[in-house]
Amino acid sequence: MAAPALPAAAAWFALLAPLPLVAPVGMQETPPASPAADIALRPADGPDPATAPLVYGPSIAIAPTPSGERPAAITPALFAAVERAMDEYPAIASSRVSVRASRADLRAAKNMGLPSLGLQGVAIGTGKGDLGTTVVADQPIFSWGRISSGIDAAKARREATIAKVDENAMQIALDLTDAYFDLARSARRSAILAKGVEEQDLLVESIQRRVEQEVSPRSDLELARSRAAQVRQQLATTRAERQSALMRVYQYVGDTSFDPGNVPVYETGVYHPSPDGAFEQAIACSPRRKRLLAEAEAARAEAKVAKASALPQLSAQMSYNQIIGTRAGLAVTAQTGGGLSAFASADAARLRADSAAIDVTTADRELTEQLNGDLIENGAARDQIASSLAAARSAAEVTDSFKRQFITGRRTWLDVMNAVREANQAELTEADAEISAMASAARILLRTCRWQPQGDSGGMAQ
């Protein structure tokens, strides 16, 4: 009986010789992050700039804004994309126009202290239908702080609009950063899944030969085809996500021909910013906080304006008409408006100031929560990268071992298919962890103003 067993064993090995023993992508003897450097973020079959959806941008000329220095954790492609968004995104352009409008409001408030000239036509009453002219020149002297408070309110509103520019800039930078790393994640996953599809196809071919030789049951072939179809579905979904993320980047940049470059390469010493002083830095430079503080100051000044408007105003006047001639002197003018509505307006303004002060506390808490989440994500990603790298290598070794054991009959085909899937999933987990670390690092740098896309001057440049 021993002699017939030898040809049977030889036939088994002949059938299984084509069984692929290919390690999953990223598991060769190259540094773990190096394959990412060769993966283009924009797919070769991406949207043609000539046929891509229209990218909307401002219709007015926008002067370039000062750019901050590029931190090491920010790739040149992301830095360039954010710079272009700072110059061309409509929300930022709109807020810069508001800054210029606030400057005009400030000039108008300061001019309230200048003399005013009034011209009035009156009937003289001689019965001949003659018309006379009255000219009045008025110079405010004392207005209970109405003019100075109006200037303070205009200055505070200008500070609020300046902070709004920085707030919009930070939000656009955060959104564009998320879109960029969503693109990087989907590009990296597409490359891993594409090689996974190739490996699944090789497995299908191998088991199909065994089924044709009636060595393996047909259920093993169906299992292999089912797993291959699942990987193809994942790949199709990931490619759709990649196209969606790419179009988001295009919309922020305002140019469908923009090249986002390749997938960034993870480096341990670069993509984990120090948490020391992060919360203090974030709160101190928060543009939203600055805007709310300025709005509260503007509301307090408006309350003073409303209260002073109900009090008499002292001014120097000179008037002339044909009947009386020229007169000069001091005038006291009092106007309450609709009853005592001015005092009610002052109370409303004070309450708006209190509301804005409460909003500052809310903004601080929300910023702290967001930054804390980024720091936790960044630290967890660092730990996950170390473990997932080891898991990916182990999964690749287990897959090779199971393939060999299947040849000798010690493992089932289901064991081999599960090992291949686990190896592919380990690579995806490693890629996700690396992208998560890089994305959270960029958000931390933005929230703490260690990366300032508009430079130190920010909205003040407007």
Side-chain angles (χ1 to χ4, degrees):
M1 297 297 298
L6 291 176
W12 271 70
F13 280 98
L15 285 170
L16 289 170
L19 191 65
L21 297 175
V22 180
V25 59
M27 300 309 300
Q28 289 80 7
E29 296 300 322
T30 55
S34 59
D38 300 326
I39 303 173
L41 289 176
R42 184 169 61 183
D45 57 348
D48 183 0
T51 60
L54 178 64
V55 176
Y56 293 95
S59 59
I60 57 176
I62 303 298
T65 56
S67 301
E69 296 182 0
R70 180 178 69 86
I74 306 302
T75 65
L78 175 58
F79 186 79
V82 171
E83 274 195 325
R84 294 182 65 170
M86 294 301 101
D87 290 339
E88 300 179 9
Y89 199 73
I92 299 178
S94 174
S95 57
R96 288 176 183 156
V97 174
S98 296
V99 172
R100 294 197 286 272
S102 68
R103 284 206 304 265
D105 289 338
L106 179 57
R107 289 195 301 270
K110 291 179 177 179
N111 290 340
M112 292 297 292
L114 299 177
S116 60
L117 184 64
L119 182 63
Q120 183 179 12
V122 297
I124 297 178
T126 61
K128 298 180 180 180
D130 293 338
L131 295 178
T133 302
T134 300
V135 180
V136 179
D138 185 278
Q139 170 63 57
I141 297 177
F142 183 73
S143 61
W144 302 92
R146 180 177 60 86
I147 297 176
S148 59
S149 296
I151 295 174
D152 292 339
K155 288 181 178 178
R157 286 192 294 267
R158 180 172 181 270
E159 293 297 325
T161 56
I162 290 173
K164 186 64 176 178
V165 175
D166 296 334
E167 184 180 3
N168 285 341
M170 178 175 287
Q171 188 59 53
I172 296 303
L174 286 169
D175 293 342
L176 178 52
T177 296
D178 288 340
Y180 174 83
F181 283 107
D182 285 346
L183 175 60
R185 179 182 290 104
S186 56
R188 181 89 176 270
R189 289 176 66 90
S190 295
I192 295 173
L193 290 170
K195 292 195 175 183
V197 167
E198 293 177 3
E199 186 175 6
Q200 291 288 343
D201 289 342
L202 291 176
L203 291 174
V204 170
E205 293 175 4
S206 299
I207 196 64
Q208 186 171 4
R209 282 191 291 267
R210 288 174 55 83
V211 171
E212 292 171 353
Q213 296 293 330
E214 298 183 352
V215 177
S216 293
R218 188 167 187 83
S219 60
D220 287 350
L221 175 59
E222 296 302 325
L223 174 63
R225 288 175 175 173
S226 175
R227 292 290 174 85
Q230 291 175 6
V231 177
R232 280 190 171 85
Q233 289 176 353
Q234 287 182 281
L235 178 58
T237 301
T238 303
R239 283 177 173 171
E241 293 173 349
R242 183 179 183 181
Q243 293 288 355
S244 176
L246 181 61
M247 288 310 303
R248 285 165 57 199
V249 172
Y250 283 163
Q251 289 296 326
Y252 283 114
V253 173
D255 182 6
T256 55
S257 64
F258 177 76
D259 184 5
N262 293 345
V263 174
V265 179
Y266 169 77
E267 296 181 33
T268 305
V270 174
Y271 291 103
H272 297 285
S274 172
D276 295 340
F279 293 99
E280 293 79 4
Q281 293 172 355
I283 291 177
C285 76
S286 169
R288 182 185 177 191
R289 188 175 196 273
K290 294 176 181 178
R291 175 179 62 81
L292 292 172
L293 287 173
E295 289 177 354
E297 183 62 29
R300 284 190 288 268
E302 288 169 359
K304 295 178 181 179
V305 172
K307 183 178 180 180
S309 297
L311 300 176
Q313 173 180 297
L314 178 64
S315 60
Q317 279 191 359
M318 175 178 290
S319 62
Y320 168 81
N321 61 36
Q322 288 93 332
I323 299 175
I324 302 176
T326 302
R327 293 188 307 173
L330 297 177
V332 177
T333 305
Q335 185 177 359
T336 61
L340 299 178
S341 60
F343 292 100
S345 299
D347 291 338
R350 280 192 295 269
L351 291 174
R352 285 195 296 270
D354 294 340
S355 175
I358 296 173
D359 289 341
V360 171
T361 303
T362 302
D364 289 347
R365 291 186 179 183
E366 291 179 353
L367 178 58
T368 300
E369 179 183 355
Q370 293 166 351
L371 180 57
N372 186 58
D374 290 335
L375 289 170
I376 291 175
E377 178 184 344
N378 192 261
R382 176 171 50 195
D383 298 336
Q384 190 178 10
I385 289 169
S387 59
S388 61
L389 177 60
R393 294 188 181 279
S394 298
E397 294 174 359
V398 169
T399 301
D400 292 345
S401 175
F402 276 24
K403 289 176 181 177
R404 290 190 294 268
Q405 292 181 52
F406 175 72
I407 294 174
T408 61
R410 297 174 60 187
R411 290 288 178 181
T412 65
W413 183 247
L414 178 61
D415 293 334
V416 174
M417 297 300 296
N418 287 340
V420 170
R421 182 167 63 178
E422 290 178 5
N424 192 254
Q425 187 60 43
E427 285 189 83
L428 292 174
T429 302
E430 179 190 356
D432 288 344
E434 291 183 354
I435 298 298
S436 176
M438 292 186 282
S440 58
R443 291 196 299 270
I444 291 170
L445 295 177
L446 279 170
R447 296 192 199 280
T448 58
C449 294
R450 300 175 189 176
W451 174 28
Q452 295 179 287
Q454 290 205 106
D456 296 334
S457 60
M460 287 295 293
Q462 305 308 313

